[in-house]
Amino acid sequence: MAKFNLFQRISQAPTNPHPAAPSRTFDVADLYRGPVEAEATAPAEQGVALDERLRQAYFWIVNTAVISPHYDIEYLDGPPPTFMLGDSKSKLILPTAQSYSSFVLLPLLTFATRRKCLFIGGPGRGKTASALLMGLLAGYPLREVRRAMQHGHPQMTIADLLGNPLPADLVNAQRIEDIRISWRSWLSMRVKIVDEYNRIPTRTQSALLTVMGDNYAEILDHIHECPESAWFLTANDEQGGGTYQVIEALRDRIDVIVQALAFNPRFLEDLLTRIEDNVRPEELLPRQIVFSEAEVDRMGEEIRAVELAPEVRRRIEFFVSQFEFSEFAAEVFEYKTKDTVRLSGVEWHTMSALETGRDRLKDLGAQTKNGLSVRAMMTLLVYAKALAYFCGNRVVELADVRQVLPFVLHEKLVADPDAPFFAASGNASLRSDRIGWLRRLFDLACGEYERLNLDRDDAVRLLDEEFRLGLDGLNESETRARLVRIERVIGELSKGKKLYGHLYDDLLKLKYLHQRYTNYLRWLATR
Amino acid sequence: MPRVSDRLGSVLQATRDELNHRFADARRANAGLDGQAFLSFVAESIDPLAQAVPAGNGERIHSVVDAAYDIGLELFSKGLVGGQARSRQIEAAWREVATATGGLLAATPRRLLAALTNAVVNLEGEGGVRRSGWLGWPR
């Protein structure tokens, strides 16, 4: 009995105490919703905030279920004790604030936001076990989660994945719509697990893509609508090194990638205890950390309501601006992007060899072969909010972005291993360490942002703020004055400077503003 | 936060995501929009419209709320209604005139509210007009 309780014990609230910040969410539900919920949405744990329960779930998993003593998401509230070790002067930091294991935290954030997470790493490191726990958090019985888990294999057909037409109907039906389909039950679940997805044949991957991307399944013109769900996929290697190459569109649908790190033998005693006590943590999940469908809905709303201050947003904008620009990709200003190079089929190194004007060591854009998609940016914002929410904050801090960014961009930002940056002293390991590289990239971008003093001296932001006040009532002379100001700023930006990615995006923004005022001026003239 | 009638409440509940989305859109264009103030406007000026729809036209409540929310949000964004407005004549016209038209409101809510709003704005621009007289006309 005592052992049973030991494994079912959850951390006491508050797990990460914070003063509550008022929410600025707009919701018409405030006009009709009262203290008594019309539907039974908050069963057992009414009174404990959802973010608190999410933290309790986290601590239960790391303390009891997954023995994962890796604190790679480091938070600091002061200078940390730091040690330099070995010939390579490897840095070991002891975090001064509550820090987390990405292998548990990122899947939890995926569960809370109903996104898609890929576990990578060698066999037997807990990838599938962690995915299974996410199904249990959603309240599904262990047996149901196990049965619903899709196991990728080279013979997997679309019927294996989605379902079968009823044999009797196939024989008797006169019309295709008369054929009834027996859909696989996992399609209706709120947590979907696909084990070893890189062993699924390409054609079946396309069917999986439709379910993952568009939330529906199709067989013989019959459609099965799937609910919004959290997805957990596993692969021994995210590079497509499984039996089949993973199609790019499917890989692009994955929001975050976490690596199952190696087991530390110093924790072998914990494994021994499990064997001797015959304990399977997944069978002992405390009911307090099970979330109903409505609670996950509400958690999603609360996460979306977390604020992201303009100062933090500007740093993200500045970071993202570094990568898409490619000066010699096109003559037309708007097409000077890496995507233009990719679409043209021109070899990457041919184009990068032309980039001789800028300091390629300093130019962060020179480190990547691509820019970031809108989907990647949106995912970054969602996970930054989710991490802040998990930490008990209602405002995203720069540290949240810094911590979550490498897991979101892991597969999205493709490094150019031939870039001079990787050849520089001390940077060789960043070729294989994507998490470290992406975090360094963000730190470098933030350093450059501060060097340029953009929090205080950003003419483009001022012009944008002025424009956002609206054009209503703006007269002709003021409009003309603003056009002149925009042209002046463009002139200043172009003075003797090399063209970097962030400048390129600033110039495009200024062109946009200029065009909007020009159009407005024409409209004024016709009134 | 003022509560609203069951009639308006059920429409808000059914179209919650859409209405929240519209407000979010408006706030993107005008970051200073005060959500709580707009909700007060909805409770004070749109709820009476929902309640004024005749019982026999119950299926039209959605259209009335939809039109009023849309127009109200535009006016609110321009500072013409709500606590920050220079005058509260538009809201008074909605509450006192539009609600009195019953079937007309249910049949053509957008046209009626737009016409009434434009009339009030134009009347406010005219000197020497007894606005309260105009607003009391349908009774």
Side-chain angles (χ1 to χ4, degrees):
Chain A
M1 188 68 191
K3 281 167 194 160
F4 184 82
N5 283 337
L6 180 74
F7 279 97
Q8 283 209 315
R9 201 168 52 200
I10 58 167
S11 306
Q12 210 170 359
T15 48
N16 191 9
H18 275 80
S23 168
R24 63 185 277 273
T25 316
F26 173 88
D27 192 345
V28 294
D30 292 346
L31 290 172
Y32 60 80
R33 206 162 45 186
V36 182
E37 289 286 337
E39 294 157 31
T41 53
E45 289 305 306
Q46 241 174 0
V48 179
L50 290 171
D51 62 309
E52 181 62 58
R53 281 174 58 201
L54 202 61
R55 283 193 295 279
Q56 287 177 329
Y58 170 84
F59 285 112
W60 182 82
I61 294 173
V62 289
N63 294 334
T64 312
V66 176
I67 305 164
S68 177
H70 299 285
Y71 291 95
D72 55 328
I73 294 191
E74 297 169 345
Y75 278 91
L76 309 173
D77 57 11
T82 304
F83 303 88
M84 305 302 265
L85 304 157
D87 293 338
S88 62
K89 302 282 176 233
S90 300
K91 203 189 282 182
L92 177 73
I93 295 171
L94 304 181
T96 49
Q98 196 169 90
S99 297
Y100 307 103
S101 167
S102 63
F103 183 63
V104 176
L105 180 57
L106 269 298
L108 259 185
L109 301 184
T110 303
F111 169 77
T113 52
R114 291 209 181 103
R115 295 266 161 167
K116 298 171 187 75
C117 173
L118 171 66
F119 293 99
I120 55 169
R125 296 187 182 208
K127 302 187 298 292
T128 312
S130 290
L132 198 130
L133 283 172
M134 298 301 133
L136 299 179
L137 288 181
Y140 293 109
L142 179 58
R143 188 180 300 176
E144 198 178 333
V145 180
R146 282 208 175 113
R147 286 178 183 171
M149 189 186 298
Q150 300 302 298
H151 297 280
H153 60 84
Q155 281 77 42
M156 193 178 203
T157 62
I158 293 178
D160 291 337
L161 190 73
L162 304 181
N164 289 290
L166 293 182
D169 289 357
L170 276 179
V171 175
N172 299 324
Q174 300 298 310
R175 297 173 309 168
I176 201 122
E177 53 266 35
D178 294 337
I179 301 172
R180 287 168 298 169
I181 309 289
S182 168
W183 298 102
R184 300 287 310 278
S185 62
W186 76 285
L187 293 171
S188 300
M189 291 176 72
R190 294 274 177 178
V191 170
K192 295 186 170 71
I193 304 171
V194 184
D195 201 20
E196 302 201 58
Y197 89 126
N198 52 343
R199 297 188 68 217
I200 299 176
T202 311
R203 188 154 173 264
T204 313
Q205 282 184 31
S206 299
L208 180 62
L209 173 66
T210 310
V211 185
M212 274 178 75
D214 301 323
N215 269 340
Y216 74 89
E218 186 178 0
I219 298 176
L220 295 175
D221 278 352
H222 289 262
I223 301 289
H224 178 81
E225 296 286 349
C226 306
E228 284 287 329
S229 32
W231 285 75
F232 299 94
L233 303 100
T234 76
N236 288 339
D237 165 13
E238 97 285 21
Q239 298 293 336
T243 314
Y244 288 94
Q245 179 77 32
V246 177
I247 55 176
E248 195 180 335
L250 194 59
R251 285 159 60 157
D252 191 50
R253 288 297 186 288
I254 289 164
D255 294 308
V256 285
I257 296 180
V258 282
Q259 184 182 345
L261 296 172
F263 184 81
N264 183 343
R266 278 281 188 182
F267 290 83
L268 198 62
E269 190 186 351
D270 292 342
L271 287 184
L272 187 64
T273 307
R274 281 192 191 180
I275 293 166
E276 290 172 352
D277 293 347
N278 195 24
V279 168
R280 292 185 187 84
E282 65 270 23
E283 292 172 358
L284 301 171
L285 189 91
R287 62 172 183 80
Q288 297 97 315
I289 56 170
V290 170
F291 294 81
S292 69
E293 186 183 324
E295 284 172 333
V296 181
D297 285 344
R298 207 163 76 230
M299 224 164 11
E301 285 172 23
E302 289 177 3
I303 288 170
R304 285 194 295 277
V306 170
E307 280 190 54
L308 197 139
E311 296 77 23
V312 176
R313 196 196 65 226
R314 271 298 296 136
R315 278 171 168 77
I316 298 174
E317 288 172 3
F318 185 79
F319 170 77
V320 173
S321 283
Q322 308 295 326
F323 306 112
E324 188 61 71
F325 174 62
S326 175
E327 188 166 2
F328 298 98
E331 257 188 43
V332 180
F333 205 70
E334 279 78 2
Y335 290 84
K336 288 179 176 290
T337 64
K338 289 174 183 166
D339 209 38
T340 305
V341 179
R342 189 183 68 86
L343 291 169
S344 70
V346 172
E347 296 264 348
W348 169 252
H349 59 82
T350 314
M351 202 50 74
S352 62
L354 296 173
E355 309 266 354
T356 51
R358 295 188 299 274
D359 178 351
R360 295 198 71 222
L361 202 57
K362 194 179 142 206
D363 179 15
L364 301 183
Q367 295 181 36
T368 75
K369 289 182 174 179
N370 65 341
L372 285 172
S373 67
V374 174
R375 200 201 318 274
M377 287 179 229
M378 289 177 77
T379 306
L380 177 60
L381 296 175
V382 168
Y383 275 86
K385 281 177 176 242
L387 181 54
Y389 176 81
F390 175 85
C391 294
N393 295 322
R394 293 298 174 266
V395 178
V396 175
E397 291 169 6
L398 194 62
D400 302 321
V401 180
R402 180 179 183 272
Q403 292 300 339
V404 89
L405 179 138
F407 301 97
V408 176
L409 303 187
H410 195 279
E411 191 56 0
K412 307 278 194 294
L413 210 51
V414 180
D416 179 2
D418 299 326
F421 172 82
F422 294 106
S425 165
N427 291 348
S429 65
L430 296 178
R431 279 197 179 103
S432 55
D433 171 16
R434 285 201 209 168
I435 300 293
W437 168 59
L438 287 163
R439 206 165 272 161
R440 175 83 73 83
L441 211 48
F442 187 67
D443 289 346
L444 289 170
C446 287
E448 182 64 5
Y449 182 88
E450 275 156 30
R451 190 187 69 78
L452 295 170
N453 198 24
L454 288 175
D455 266 338
R456 287 169 204 83
D457 182 17
D458 183 357
V460 182
R461 177 172 56 85
L462 296 178
L463 289 168
D464 188 37
E465 283 172 0
E466 194 174 55
F467 175 75
R468 279 173 186 276
L469 293 174
L471 297 173
D472 276 351
L474 198 66
N475 61 30
E476 187 182 331
S477 66
E478 175 57 21
T479 310
R480 288 191 188 284
R482 289 188 188 185
L483 282 168
V484 169
R485 279 206 291 277
I486 291 170
E487 287 163 20
R488 196 181 304 139
V489 172
I490 292 175
E492 282 164 15
L493 289 179
S494 62
K495 263 187 209 159
K497 286 184 183 172
K498 305 283 184 197
L499 200 47
Y500 287 97
H502 65 94
L503 275 177
Y504 173 69
D505 281 342
D506 281 355
L507 290 164
L508 285 177
K509 178 81 184 203
L510 290 168
K511 182 175 175 181
Y512 164 83
L513 293 174
H514 194 274
Q515 181 57 204
R516 292 293 301 268
Y517 284 122
T518 303
N519 290 343
Y520 178 70
L521 207 56
R522 282 172 62 88
W523 177 77
L524 273 183
T526 61
R527 286 182 72 196
Chain B
M1 182 55 55
R3 300 301 302 269
V4 295
S5 65
D6 288 347
R7 269 187 156 198
L8 178 59
S10 62
V11 178
L12 296 180
Q13 200 160 6
T15 53
R16 177 183 172 194
D17 287 344
E18 165 65 21
L19 298 180
N20 288 345
H21 186 71
R22 278 192 224 167
F23 184 84
D25 268 352
R27 184 137 69 184
R28 263 191 290 283
N30 182 351
L33 282 191
D34 179 348
Q36 298 307 305
F38 184 66
L39 287 179
S40 296
F41 164 78
V42 172
E44 288 162 16
S45 301
I46 299 184
D47 199 12
L49 298 175
Q51 293 186 65
V53 176
N57 294 99
E59 78 287 352
R60 298 292 302 160
I61 296 178
H62 264 83
S63 307
V64 171
V65 172
D66 183 67
Y69 190 92
D70 230 18
I71 296 172
L73 187 53
E74 190 181 339
L75 296 172
F76 186 80
S77 301
K78 292 179 173 170
L80 294 171
V81 295
Q84 303 295 316
R86 201 154 39 93
S87 98
R88 309 299 290 267
Q89 294 293 338
I90 295 173
E91 288 148 280
W94 283 25
R95 274 197 311 272
E96 293 165 24
V97 184
T99 54
T101 63
L104 190 58
L105 173 68
T108 55
R110 189 170 295 274
R111 244 175 106 183
L112 177 80
L113 292 174
L116 198 55
T117 302
N118 290 340
V120 173
V121 171
N122 287 327
L123 280 172
E124 283 192 319
E126 295 291 329
V129 175
R130 198 166 55 84
R131 288 186 293 273
S132 58
W134 281 92
L135 291 179
W137 168 71
R139 283 190 222 232

